[in-house]
Amino acid sequence: MNRRTLLLGTGAALAAPLALANRQALAQQATITGAGATFPRPLYERWAQAAREAINVQLNYQSIGSGGGINQITARTVDFGASDAPLTTEQLTERSLLQFPTVLGSVVLSANLPGVADNALRLTPEIVVDIFLGKITRWNDPRIVEANRDLRIPNLPVGPAYRADGSGTTWVFTTYLSRVSSEWRAGPGAGTSVRWPVGNGARGNEGVSNIIRNTPGAIGYIENAYAVVNRMATTQLRNKSGNFVRPEPPAFNAAAAAADWSVPNFAADTIDLNGATVWPITSPTYILLPTNPPADKVEASRNTMRFFDWAFRQGSDIASRLEYIPLPAAAHDLVRAAWRDRVKTPSGSAVWTA
Amino acid sequence: MSDIAMRPGAAPAMGARRTAGSLGDKLFEALCKGAGVLVLLTLGGIIVTLFIGALPAFRHFGLGFLVSTNWDPVEGREEFGAFISIFGTIVSSLLAIAFAVPVAFGIAYFLTELAPPWMRRPIGTAVELLAAIPSIIYGMWGLFVLVPFVQMNIQLAFGETLAAIPLVGFLFESRSFAGTSLFSAALVLAIMILPFIAATMRDVFEQVPPVYKESAYGLGATRWEVMRGVVIPYTRVSVVGGIMLGLGRALGETMAVTFVIGNANRMPQSIFDPSTTIASVIAMEFPESLAGSLQQSALFAIGFLLFIISFVVLATSRWLLRSRLKA
């Protein structure tokens, strides 16, 4: 409660002089506010810049974390919330929210093994699980050697690194581990933060990357966008079809194409999908939009949909450049249909009519 | 002030201010009283807010919350216990005190007894400047400089030798080689609280009446004998009070510790193992906790416990320092 008031207060204080100065210039411009996940922040900010010129919608996005985004949209202090993990049907009904995906993100594994080239190391799901369960403690473990006959892997202790701050990235990675291992599912489980049996925790992608860079033998999971920009050495991973795949755009796009987007609430499962070239650890990031906007919020609700409609039509290049994976066009159409059918004005008519 | 009063032009202004005096005095008194009451209200409000937020967790887990080592925020099997974070908080702070006190004593002894007068001020100022560095800077410095140093030059260099020591060797035996550990956190904390302890020690050492020390020197005591036989017994309680002040700061430090402690909700087996503190857990998990969830309540609950621990430590230090200053 207090935190929210404080946030709003600070926001208002900062915005006040700006609003005064630009009141005239902004008179024609629609402003929408959103809050939530940190993972898609670079993308939403870039989209916001482009959309301001293209469709005159000004987006103000606060990346306060998925949990904070859910809290704020539940209290209706913002126009939309953003979450990395999908909400369940009960959670959505209870809060009268519509959930739809914007893009996919992928999580990759990065290891510090001197003498091993980028994307050369091959890991199987079993090896990854046992590393994070603490069962594989040295890099010369027979199973790792077996999968990498052509590599000279240094005999170092394995140092797992994880995100200590609650994060969607952790949720995606632990969901994957739970999917491929019943032992992980019964043990630490899946969540935005879990009880890690071994390893060191750090804050954010940058903290995990720092541990990996500083510690020979360390291995951790990070967002692909961060790994690409910071040139982290990543690894191959064996997917459900039994092929070793590199964490590269074709493998991510294959995952987006293989997903079933017609499931309720778009909670499409893109983790560990079948397909020869699919990268197994990807996940959509979601927007939460009230289905029952009050009369004075109808316009903001419509503008939110206009913004994302524009992003679906024009924003895919921007997304790809920033290493996010655009959704297939069929998924975009399903989202628009959901806007039309689910989001209603107080008088019961559809907010989205395009 | 006296300059202005002596100038003839200033006299009417002085008169005018005097007539407004009685109203001004009352206003000023009311403002000051308000400020004082505001502090009390804020403090009370924080305690009440924390307690109300923590209530569901206290109800759900009872007294077991204090001793349970489970901290599992995964949805559907939430279980929370404060013991690991309390343990990490207290152990990292006590280790920091153990590292900082000898150095702080050295600084204070040097500044009051040994240093030539021209050196006292620059060194004293440098020590106080350490206190002015924001904690996030200590965190970054700790992560990028201290942690690799601990990893390469302490843990890898001496870890196995230390682990071979009979009886206490297990304290140094660790399978974690990332360098972020209880030990790194204690080192960073030690540097952060050093100026507080050193400044308090210097101030109380200076309060020792010169005649006591001169008498001891007159009897032929050496400098060290004067320190041990006169200065320390005279200032003992205040020194402990200063240490408690440093301890209070170490307990609540958040960002610097979070960067270097490794954030592991597991019981550390050695000082080179990663651990966590109450402040770190709150900083890491609060943003992703849902309003009204058991997790958020548990975070409030450990915050409340930290408040109590810090309050006890600070109250003890105040009490120790006050009894000395009155005497």
Side-chain angles (χ1 to χ4, degrees):
Chain A
M1 268 314 205
N2 289 331
R3 206 163 131 265
R4 184 182 312 129
T5 335
L6 186 72
L7 267 177
L8 284 178
T10 331
L14 288 175
L18 268 177
L20 281 177
N22 293 335
R23 180 163 286 170
Q24 241 142 16
L26 289 174
Q28 302 299 312
Q29 203 163 54
T31 303
I32 52 175
T33 56
T38 47
F39 160 64
R41 179 187 55 87
L43 176 63
Y44 292 171
E45 281 177 357
R46 188 68 193 77
W47 274 354
Q49 272 177 20
R52 197 168 52 216
E53 288 152 28
I55 54 168
N56 240 349
V57 172
Q58 162 96 28
L59 167 65
N60 169 18
Y61 184 72
Q62 304 164 349
S63 55
I64 55 172
S66 300
I70 296 169
N71 291 344
Q72 291 219 359
I73 192 61
T74 306
R76 300 292 195 265
T77 50
V78 288
D79 296 323
F80 68 87
S83 172
D84 287 333
L87 272 63
T88 61
T89 308
E90 299 85 67
Q91 286 172 319
L92 290 167
T93 323
E94 191 186 311
R95 296 169 164 86
S96 303
L97 293 173
L98 168 70
Q99 160 178 291
F100 64 88
T102 53
V103 286
L104 262 82
S106 52
V107 175
V108 299
L109 286 151
S110 175
N112 179 346
L113 288 175
V116 176
D118 187 21
N119 281 344
L121 186 71
R122 284 183 295 273
L123 295 175
T124 66
E126 298 75 35
I127 293 176
V128 176
V129 167
D130 282 354
I131 281 178
F132 282 91
L133 279 175
K135 289 184 171 176
I136 292 182
T137 58
R138 297 199 77 90
W139 281 104
N140 63 349
D141 185 277
R143 276 179 292 169
I144 300 179
V145 174
E146 173 70 36
N148 297 280
R149 288 242 168 264
D150 53 333
L151 295 179
R152 279 181 57 91
I153 298 176
N155 178 15
L156 288 165
V158 174
Y162 55 84
R163 289 278 294 269
D165 50 331
S167 74
T169 313
T170 300
W171 178 81
V172 174
F173 185 65
T174 52
T175 305
Y176 170 73
L177 294 182
S178 301
R179 195 67 57 80
V180 295
S181 155
S182 56
E183 194 181 350
W184 187 275
R185 191 160 56 238
T192 52
S193 39
V194 302
R195 189 161 48 169
W196 296 94
V198 284
N200 285 55
R203 193 172 155 276
N205 286 300
E206 59 282 7
V208 173
S209 306
N210 185 62
I211 292 187
I212 297 170
R213 279 209 196 94
N214 279 344
T215 318
I219 179 168
Y221 59 94
I222 43 181
E223 280 158 19
N224 177 55
Y226 187 89
V228 170
V229 172
N230 293 281
R231 299 201 177 80
M232 300 295 293
T234 51
T235 72
Q236 299 182 34
L237 186 58
R238 200 182 65 202
N239 66 14
K240 203 174 184 183
S241 308
N243 299 328
F244 286 98
V245 284
R246 292 158 182 271
E248 283 162 358
F252 304 146
N253 289 327
D260 176 12
W261 295 102
S262 61
V263 294
N265 304 316
F266 299 101
D269 192 346
T270 60
I271 286 171
D272 203 25
L273 292 174
N274 260 316
T277 59
V278 166
W279 177 256
I281 322 178
T282 58
S283 174
T285 183
Y286 294 94
I287 295 295
L288 302 166
L289 190 65
T291 53
N292 56 350
D296 60 325
K297 288 284 185 191
V298 167
E299 202 47 44
S301 173
R302 186 175 294 126
N303 283 325
T304 306
M305 292 185 243
R306 271 179 62 214
F307 176 84
F308 285 107
D309 175 61
W310 172 87
F312 286 161
R313 281 184 288 111
Q314 312 285 331
S316 294
D317 285 346
I318 296 178
S320 306
R321 268 206 302 279
L322 293 175
E323 303 293 333
Y324 295 89
I325 310 144
L327 302 181
H332 290 162
D333 291 336
L334 287 170
V335 170
R336 290 191 187 96
W339 290 345
R340 200 159 37 237
D341 298 341
R342 301 273 311 280
V343 184
K344 300 285 195 267
T345 62
S347 57
S349 58
V351 175
W352 179 255
T353 47
Chain B
M1 218 39 191
S2 57
D3 278 3
I4 297 170
M6 263 185 272
R7 254 184 278 145
M14 292 289 284
R17 211 168 60 190
R18 222 166 257 145
T19 51
S22 65
L23 178 68
D25 280 352
K26 274 189 189 135
L27 201 67
F28 187 68
E29 192 195 335
L31 280 175
C32 290
K33 199 182 271 174
V37 172
L38 190 70
V39 171
L40 275 183
L41 282 180
T42 313
L43 190 72
I46 291 172
I47 297 176
V48 170
T49 315
L50 279 178
F51 188 73
I52 291 175
L55 210 54
F58 284 141
R59 277 221 189 98
H60 194 273
F61 299 108
L63 275 179
F65 187 73
L66 292 175
V67 291
S68 162
T69 56
N70 282 329
W71 185 275
D72 194 345
V74 174
E75 211 179 314
R77 50 167 124 154
E78 287 102 333
E79 206 176 322
F80 300 100
F83 189 76
I84 293 174
S85 46
I86 293 178
F87 180 85
T89 307
I90 291 178
V91 169
S92 61
S93 300
L94 289 181
L95 271 177
I97 292 287
F99 295 149
V101 166
V103 182
F105 175 78
I107 292 171
Y109 183 50
F110 178 73
L111 286 180
T112 52
E113 304 291 330
L114 301 178
W118 63 268
M119 269 181 83
R120 290 184 186 183
R121 182 161 279 209
I123 294 185
T125 313
V127 169
E128 276 155 22
L129 264 180
L130 274 182
I133 299 175
S135 66
I136 190 85
I137 305 290
Y138 279 109
M140 285 165 57
W141 175 81
L143 185 62
F144 289 112
V145 180
L146 194 75
V147 164
F149 180 83
V150 167
Q151 187 184 14
M152 289 300 161
N153 299 323
I154 297 183
Q155 199 186 349
L156 284 183
F158 302 113
E160 284 183 15
T161 322
L162 290 170
I165 302 172
L167 293 178
V168 294
F170 71 95
L171 286 175
F172 305 100
E173 192 172 358
S174 174
R175 264 179 45 198
S176 163
F177 293 97
T180 50
S181 61
L182 209 50
F183 179 76
S184 303
L187 268 190
V188 170
L189 279 177
I191 297 167
M192 294 181 73
I193 60 178
L194 184 64
F196 293 90
I197 303 179
T200 320
M201 278 190 182
R202 188 195 55 187
D203 290 349
V204 295
F205 286 177
E206 276 172 353
Q207 277 178 15
V208 178
V211 63
Y212 287 17
K213 289 195 277 184
E214 279 157 16
S215 316
Y217 283 127
L219 289 171
T222 62
R223 271 183 177 143
W224 177 243
E225 281 165 349
V226 170
M227 177 49 79
R228 222 183 50 188
V230 177
V231 177
I232 290 191
Y234 188 84
T235 57
R236 196 173 47 217
V237 179
S238 311
V239 165
V240 175
I243 293 172
M244 298 291 266
L245 217 60
L247 184 61
R249 180 170 160 127
L251 287 170
E253 179 46 48
T254 309
M255 270 349 264
V257 174
T258 302
F259 272 58
V260 300
I261 200 167
N263 301 296
N265 252 313
R266 302 184 291 271
M267 272 311 274
Q269 308 295 318
S270 94
I271 60 168
F272 292 121
D273 275 348
S275 181
T276 193
T277 67
I278 291 177
S280 304
V281 173
I282 297 177
M284 290 290 102
E285 295 192 7
F286 200 87
E288 283 290 327
S289 66
L290 289 181
S293 64
L294 198 57
Q295 182 185 10
Q296 196 168 74
S297 179
L299 292 171
F300 270 113
I302 56 173
F304 181 73
L305 293 174
L306 178 62
F307 197 99
I308 291 181
I309 297 171
S310 310
F311 182 77
V312 168
V313 168
L314 275 179
T316 317
S317 84
R318 289 284 140 188
W319 182 73
L320 288 174
L321 280 172
R322 171 170 294 177
S323 64
R324 180 78 261 166
L325 294 175
K326 265 185 194 160

